[in-house]
C-alpha cells in the first residue's frame, strides 16, 4: 500500500512540475503577445502619422513621394508580418492553455481515482484487522480453556497418585 501511495505522490509531484512548466511557458507567451500587440499598435499609430504627413507632403517632389510610398509599403508589410506573428502566438497560447487544462483535469481525475482506491484498500485492511482481532480473541479464550483443563487434569492426577490405590480382591 505504501508503494502505491509513494507512486501516487511521485506522479502528483511530476504532474505539478509539468503544470508549472506549462504555466511558465504560457506566461512567457502572454508577455510576447502583449509586446507584439503594443508593437502593432505603435505601427498603426505610425501609419496614421505617415498618412498625415502624406497630406502635408502633397507638394513635395515626385522622387520624395515615391520613396515615402516605398517606406509606407515596407511598414505595411512589416505590420502584416507582425499581425501574422501575433495570431500565431495567440494560437500557440490557446493550444498551451488547452493542454494545461487537459493536464489539470487529468491530474484531478487521477487524484480522485487514487483517493477512492486508497479508501478501498483502507477499508479492506480494516476489515482484515477486525477479523484477525476476533481470531486472536477466540484463540486466547481457547488457550485459557486448554490451560485450565491441563491444570485440572494435573491436579486430579496428583490427587490420584497421593491417594492409596486399593485393589479389589
Amino acid at each position: 500500500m505504501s508503494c502505491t501511495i509513494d507512486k501516487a505522490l511521485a506522479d502528483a509531484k511530476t504532474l505539478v512540475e509539468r503544470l508549472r512548466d506549462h504555466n511558465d511557458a504560457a506566461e512567457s507567451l502572454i508577455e510576447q503577445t502583449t509586446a507584439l500587440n503594443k508593437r502593432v499598435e505603435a505601427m498603426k499609430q505610425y501609419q496614421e502619422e505617415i498618412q498625415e504627413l502624406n497630406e502635408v507632403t502633397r507638394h513635395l517632389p515626385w522622387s520624395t513621394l515615391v520613396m515615402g510610398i516605398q517606406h509606407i509599403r515596407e511598414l505595411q508589410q512589416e505590420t502584416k508580418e507582425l499581425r501574422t506573428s501575433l495570431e500565431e502566438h495567440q494560437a500557440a497560447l490557446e493550444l498551451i492553455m488547452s493542454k494545461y487544462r487537459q493536464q489539470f483535469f487529468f491530474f484531478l481525475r487521477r487524484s480522485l481515482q487514487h483517493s477512492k482506491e486508497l479508501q478501498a484498500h483502507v477499508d479492506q485492511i480494516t476489515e482484515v484487522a477486525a477479523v484477525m482481532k476476533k481470531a486472536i480473541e477466540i484463540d486466547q479464550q481457547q488457550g485459557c480453556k486448554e490451560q485450565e483443563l491441563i491444570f485440572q487434569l494435573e491436579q486430579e492426577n496428583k490427587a490420584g497418585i497421593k491417594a492409596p490405590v486399593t485393589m479389589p480382591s
Side-chain angles (χ1 to χ4, degrees):
M1 178 173 142
S2 66
C3 184
T4 58
I5 290 173
D6 292 340
K7 186 170 192 274
L9 288 174
D11 289 344
K13 286 179 182 178
T14 303
L15 289 172
V16 167
E17 289 174 14
R18 286 182 188 166
L19 289 174
R20 285 183 183 149
D21 291 342
H22 288 286
N23 192 25
D24 292 343
E27 288 178 6
S28 174
L29 282 174
I30 288 171
E31 291 173 5
Q32 290 176 4
T33 304
T34 303
L36 284 173
N37 196 17
K38 287 179 182 178
R39 193 166 175 193
V40 167
E41 288 299 321
M43 290 294 178
K44 283 181 185 178
Q45 184 179 1
Y46 183 74
Q47 189 174 10
E48 290 173 4
E49 290 174 5
I50 291 295
Q51 288 175 352
E52 290 176 11
L53 287 175
N54 282 338
E55 291 295 323
V56 172
T57 59
R58 284 188 181 173
H59 305 293
L60 293 177
W62 182 254
S63 62
T64 306
L65 290 177
V66 169
M67 286 177 35
I69 291 172
Q70 288 175 345
H71 184 68
I72 289 173
R73 286 185 180 157
E74 290 171 3
L75 290 175
Q76 287 174 338
Q77 180 63 31
E78 186 178 347
T79 301
K80 189 176 182 180
E81 291 171 3
L82 287 172
R83 282 188 182 143
T84 303
S85 178
L86 178 63
E87 290 170 1
E88 289 173 358
H89 277 81
Q90 286 175 337
L93 182 60
E94 288 174 8
L95 178 64
I96 288 171
M97 291 307 293
S98 172
K99 293 293 183 182
Y100 175 81
R101 287 183 201 104
Q102 286 175 351
Q103 289 291 325
F104 179 77
F105 287 122
F106 173 77
F107 172 69
L108 185 61
R109 280 189 301 238
R110 192 169 182 186
S111 294
L112 291 174
Q113 181 182 8
H114 284 297
S115 297
K116 290 176 184 177
E117 290 173 2
L118 288 175
Q119 186 59 43
H121 289 301
V122 167
D123 292 344
Q124 287 175 346
I125 290 170
T126 304
E127 189 176 314
V128 168
V131 169
M132 290 174 69
K133 183 178 178 182
K134 185 67 176 173
I136 290 170
E137 288 174 4
I138 291 171
D139 188 47
Q140 286 177 348
Q141 289 173 357
Q142 188 65 27
C144 288
K145 287 180 184 177
E146 288 175 2
Q147 283 182 349
E148 286 176 17
L149 181 62
I150 290 171
F151 181 74
Q152 267 184 340
L153 290 173
E154 285 177 352
Q155 292 300 322
E156 286 175 10
N157 194 15
K158 285 181 185 178
I161 291 176
K162 288 182 183 177
V165 177
T166 55
M167 299 237 203
S169 27

